[in-house]
Amino acid sequence: MKKIFVLGMILMIMISGCSTKVEEVIYDTETVDNATVQENVVEETDETTDSEEEATSEETTVEPLSIRVIAPYGTPVLSMVKMMTENPSVGEGVEVTYEALAATDVLTTDLINHNADIAIVPTNLAAVLHAKEAGYKIAGASVWGVLYIVATEEINSIEDLKGKEISMIGRGLTPDAMMRYILTENGIDPETDLTLNYFSGSSELAADFLGGNSTIAMIPQPLLTAVQLKNPEAKVVLDIQEAWGAITGTPSYPLSSIIVSETLIESHPEVVESFLTEFEASVTWLNENPSEAGAYYEDLDIGLAAPVIQKAIPTSNLTYISATEGRDLFDEYLNVLYNFDPKLTGGKPVDEALYLEK
């Protein structure tokens, strides 16, 4: 009986020991499994983080964009002088270079050869480029008439210009068109009743007039102010803006417009919008800060000192009006030129495709 009892006790101890071993094995297995799961979660998390970083890196990579902007000396450059000096950002990765050009023929050649993305040009040149399918649209106008006839001899009316010689710039461009149109509407034949002498640029025109080689000239602001400061005897005898208004009944005309390449419009519309916003702000700023604008212009070293620019700004008629807002003024101006001489708008009537719609 004792043997049986002892044997049973030994058997119970053995079973209890085995149970403990099994529980230890089970707990160890769960610990290993939990650790493995945690490691896998960490690895997956790390992989996901790396993947997200790569995706984010790809999304924030911006392809560089270079834009060239050109404008002729005078009020076109003046309307953009703040941007040319401060070069504000118009978009991430966008590099903008500005260039002021002395002669309109160089401006035209650059545009025909697609060497510029944005430019300020005589408005009728914009129409000519459009007719030639050069690939530019008018976004708006910044110069609303700055042409004046000045003389050092007695001229009391437009009739007194008959038989005279008038020095001017822009053969075939807006100044020429305006002069010829106004003369014709006042009964003066520009081919037979007087002589129009053309110069390649404003500097040559001013030097000739100030040197006494000519006594009558059509001179735009701000050059007009510089000429009058050097020769107080030079008097304005005809305000081209007033003469235009008397004929057409309109308050003003878009002498110079800002044009943008269709390629840039299609590929980067957000950059174009940003640029035009900055440009409008630039024009507003210069009218409010003529002294600073004058200093900016002088720093460009293109011929006119700060005091001249400062004095000329109030009479330079600089304001920005988009092609959408001022569509009637653009159409009327260009239609008048087309009816006067179709070549002035490229031989074709102006159509809505010329304008950048906002």
Side-chain angles (χ1 to χ4, degrees), residues 221-236:
Q221 285 284 31
L223 184 63
L224 172 61
T225 297
V227 168
Q228 290 182 308
L229 287 173
K230 291 183 178 180
N231 185 358
E233 294 183 2
K235 306 296 183 182
V236 173

PDB file of all heavy atoms in Angstrom, residues 221-236:
ATOM      1  N   GLN A 221       7.248 111.333 -73.972  1.00  0.00           N
ATOM      2  CA  GLN A 221       7.726 111.365 -72.600  1.00  0.00           C
ATOM      3  C   GLN A 221       8.376 110.013 -72.292  1.00  0.00           C
ATOM      4  O   GLN A 221       7.985 109.014 -72.875  1.00  0.00           O
ATOM      5  CB  GLN A 221       6.568 111.606 -71.626  1.00  0.00           C
ATOM      6  CG  GLN A 221       6.060 113.029 -71.585  1.00  0.00           C
ATOM      7  CD  GLN A 221       6.999 113.959 -70.810  1.00  0.00           C
ATOM      8  OE1 GLN A 221       8.228 113.759 -70.775  1.00  0.00           O
ATOM      9  NE2 GLN A 221       6.441 114.995 -70.244  1.00  0.00           N
ATOM     10  N   PRO A 222       9.394 109.997 -71.416  1.00  0.00           N
ATOM     11  CA  PRO A 222       9.948 111.096 -70.614  1.00  0.00           C
ATOM     12  C   PRO A 222      11.046 111.893 -71.317  1.00  0.00           C
ATOM     13  O   PRO A 222      11.589 112.822 -70.739  1.00  0.00           O
ATOM     14  CB  PRO A 222      10.506 110.358 -69.401  1.00  0.00           C
ATOM     15  CG  PRO A 222      10.963 109.047 -69.962  1.00  0.00           C
ATOM     16  CD  PRO A 222       9.960 108.684 -71.007  1.00  0.00           C
ATOM     17  N   LEU A 223      11.371 111.511 -72.557  1.00  0.00           N
ATOM     18  CA  LEU A 223      12.425 112.231 -73.276  1.00  0.00           C
ATOM     19  C   LEU A 223      12.058 113.698 -73.461  1.00  0.00           C
ATOM     20  O   LEU A 223      12.930 114.576 -73.445  1.00  0.00           O
ATOM     21  CB  LEU A 223      12.679 111.563 -74.623  1.00  0.00           C
ATOM     22  CG  LEU A 223      13.820 112.127 -75.458  1.00  0.00           C
ATOM     23  CD1 LEU A 223      15.148 111.963 -74.743  1.00  0.00           C
ATOM     24  CD2 LEU A 223      13.862 111.450 -76.831  1.00  0.00           C
ATOM     25  N   LEU A 224      10.769 113.974 -73.632  1.00  0.00           N
ATOM     26  CA  LEU A 224      10.323 115.351 -73.817  1.00  0.00           C
ATOM     27  C   LEU A 224      10.757 116.245 -72.660  1.00  0.00           C
ATOM     28  O   LEU A 224      11.234 117.364 -72.876  1.00  0.00           O
ATOM     29  CB  LEU A 224       8.799 115.378 -73.961  1.00  0.00           C
ATOM     30  CG  LEU A 224       8.153 116.762 -73.978  1.00  0.00           C
ATOM     31  CD1 LEU A 224       8.657 117.589 -75.152  1.00  0.00           C
ATOM     32  CD2 LEU A 224       6.635 116.641 -74.011  1.00  0.00           C
ATOM     33  N   THR A 225      10.608 115.765 -71.449  1.00  0.00           N
ATOM     34  CA  THR A 225      11.011 116.552 -70.275  1.00  0.00           C
ATOM     35  C   THR A 225      12.500 116.855 -70.305  1.00  0.00           C
ATOM     36  O   THR A 225      12.933 117.974 -69.998  1.00  0.00           O
ATOM     37  CB  THR A 225      10.648 115.801 -68.984  1.00  0.00           C
ATOM     38  OG1 THR A 225       9.230 115.654 -68.919  1.00  0.00           O
ATOM     39  CG2 THR A 225      11.128 116.562 -67.758  1.00  0.00           C
ATOM     40  N   ALA A 226      13.306 115.854 -70.670  1.00  0.00           N
ATOM     41  CA  ALA A 226      14.759 116.047 -70.745  1.00  0.00           C
ATOM     42  C   ALA A 226      15.113 117.107 -71.786  1.00  0.00           C
ATOM     43  O   ALA A 226      15.989 117.965 -71.552  1.00  0.00           O
ATOM     44  CB  ALA A 226      15.435 114.724 -71.077  1.00  0.00           C
ATOM     45  N   VAL A 227      14.441 117.073 -72.926  1.00  0.00           N
ATOM     46  CA  VAL A 227      14.697 118.039 -73.990  1.00  0.00           C
ATOM     47  C   VAL A 227      14.330 119.451 -73.529  1.00  0.00           C
ATOM     48  O   VAL A 227      15.083 120.414 -73.741  1.00  0.00           O
ATOM     49  CB  VAL A 227      13.907 117.657 -75.262  1.00  0.00           C
ATOM     50  CG1 VAL A 227      13.923 118.807 -76.278  1.00  0.00           C
ATOM     51  CG2 VAL A 227      14.501 116.396 -75.889  1.00  0.00           C
ATOM     52  N   GLN A 228      13.189 119.588 -72.872  1.00  0.00           N
ATOM     53  CA  GLN A 228      12.748 120.914 -72.448  1.00  0.00           C
ATOM     54  C   GLN A 228      13.615 121.477 -71.321  1.00  0.00           C
ATOM     55  O   GLN A 228      13.779 122.699 -71.220  1.00  0.00           O
ATOM     56  CB  GLN A 228      11.285 120.863 -72.021  1.00  0.00           C
ATOM     57  CG  GLN A 228      10.331 120.646 -73.187  1.00  0.00           C
ATOM     58  CD  GLN A 228       8.876 120.655 -72.755  1.00  0.00           C
ATOM     59  OE1 GLN A 228       8.488 119.936 -71.832  1.00  0.00           O
ATOM     60  NE2 GLN A 228       8.066 121.468 -73.411  1.00  0.00           N
ATOM     61  N   LEU A 229      14.172 120.605 -70.483  1.00  0.00           N
ATOM     62  CA  LEU A 229      15.076 121.072 -69.444  1.00  0.00           C
ATOM     63  C   LEU A 229      16.365 121.618 -70.058  1.00  0.00           C
ATOM     64  O   LEU A 229      16.953 122.579 -69.547  1.00  0.00           O
ATOM     65  CB  LEU A 229      15.395 119.945 -68.469  1.00  0.00           C
ATOM     66  CG  LEU A 229      14.271 119.553 -67.504  1.00  0.00           C
ATOM     67  CD1 LEU A 229      14.671 118.306 -66.705  1.00  0.00           C
ATOM     68  CD2 LEU A 229      13.946 120.710 -66.555  1.00  0.00           C
ATOM     69  N   LYS A 230      16.804 121.013 -71.159  1.00  0.00           N
ATOM     70  CA  LYS A 230      18.030 121.471 -71.821  1.00  0.00           C
ATOM     71  C   LYS A 230      17.777 122.657 -72.750  1.00  0.00           C
ATOM     72  O   LYS A 230      18.681 123.460 -73.004  1.00  0.00           O
ATOM     73  CB  LYS A 230      18.650 120.318 -72.607  1.00  0.00           C
ATOM     74  CG  LYS A 230      19.220 119.218 -71.722  1.00  0.00           C
ATOM     75  CD  LYS A 230      19.883 118.130 -72.547  1.00  0.00           C
ATOM     76  CE  LYS A 230      20.490 117.066 -71.640  1.00  0.00           C
ATOM     77  NZ  LYS A 230      21.159 115.976 -72.422  1.00  0.00           N
ATOM     78  N   ASN A 231      16.560 122.747 -73.269  1.00  0.00           N
ATOM     79  CA  ASN A 231      16.214 123.860 -74.157  1.00  0.00           C
ATOM     80  C   ASN A 231      14.817 124.369 -73.811  1.00  0.00           C
ATOM     81  O   ASN A 231      13.811 123.893 -74.353  1.00  0.00           O
ATOM     82  CB  ASN A 231      16.268 123.424 -75.616  1.00  0.00           C
ATOM     83  CG  ASN A 231      16.032 124.591 -76.578  1.00  0.00           C
ATOM     84  OD1 ASN A 231      15.786 125.728 -76.148  1.00  0.00           O
ATOM     85  ND2 ASN A 231      16.091 124.314 -77.864  1.00  0.00           N
ATOM     86  N   PRO A 232      14.718 125.342 -72.914  1.00  0.00           N
ATOM     87  CA  PRO A 232      13.415 125.870 -72.487  1.00  0.00           C
ATOM     88  C   PRO A 232      12.605 126.482 -73.623  1.00  0.00           C
ATOM     89  O   PRO A 232      11.395 126.697 -73.476  1.00  0.00           O
ATOM     90  CB  PRO A 232      13.794 126.935 -71.448  1.00  0.00           C
ATOM     91  CG  PRO A 232      15.156 126.523 -70.971  1.00  0.00           C
ATOM     92  CD  PRO A 232      15.827 125.930 -72.172  1.00  0.00           C
ATOM     93  N   GLU A 233      13.236 126.763 -74.762  1.00  0.00           N
ATOM     94  CA  GLU A 233      12.517 127.338 -75.893  1.00  0.00           C
ATOM     95  C   GLU A 233      11.701 126.291 -76.655  1.00  0.00           C
ATOM     96  O   GLU A 233      10.881 126.643 -77.507  1.00  0.00           O
ATOM     97  CB  GLU A 233      13.501 128.014 -76.859  1.00  0.00           C
ATOM     98  CG  GLU A 233      14.192 129.236 -76.255  1.00  0.00           C
ATOM     99  CD  GLU A 233      15.104 129.931 -77.259  1.00  0.00           C
ATOM    100  OE1 GLU A 233      15.144 129.466 -78.421  1.00  0.00           O
ATOM    101  OE2 GLU A 233      15.762 130.914 -76.878  1.00  0.00           O
ATOM    102  N   ALA A 234      11.916 125.026 -76.335  1.00  0.00           N
ATOM    103  CA  ALA A 234      11.151 123.960 -76.986  1.00  0.00           C
ATOM    104  C   ALA A 234       9.756 123.909 -76.360  1.00  0.00           C
ATOM    105  O   ALA A 234       9.599 123.548 -75.197  1.00  0.00           O
ATOM    106  CB  ALA A 234      11.864 122.625 -76.826  1.00  0.00           C
ATOM    107  N   LYS A 235       8.755 124.274 -77.139  1.00  0.00           N
ATOM    108  CA  LYS A 235       7.380 124.343 -76.643  1.00  0.00           C
ATOM    109  C   LYS A 235       6.513 123.262 -77.287  1.00  0.00           C
ATOM    110  O   LYS A 235       6.688 122.926 -78.470  1.00  0.00           O
ATOM    111  CB  LYS A 235       6.780 125.717 -76.968  1.00  0.00           C
ATOM    112  CG  LYS A 235       7.595 126.903 -76.469  1.00  0.00           C
ATOM    113  CD  LYS A 235       7.695 126.948 -74.956  1.00  0.00           C
ATOM    114  CE  LYS A 235       8.460 128.181 -74.485  1.00  0.00           C
ATOM    115  NZ  LYS A 235       8.611 128.225 -73.004  1.00  0.00           N
ATOM    116  N   VAL A 236       5.602 122.740 -76.498  1.00  0.00           N
ATOM    117  CA  VAL A 236       4.633 121.783 -77.048  1.00  0.00           C
ATOM    118  C   VAL A 236       3.633 122.556 -77.894  1.00  0.00           C
ATOM    119  O   VAL A 236       2.936 123.456 -77.394  1.00  0.00           O
ATOM    120  CB  VAL A 236       3.898 121.030 -75.926  1.00  0.00           C
ATOM    121  CG1 VAL A 236       2.783 120.163 -76.511  1.00  0.00           C
ATOM    122  CG2 VAL A 236       4.879 120.156 -75.144  1.00  0.00           C
TER     123      VAL A 236
END
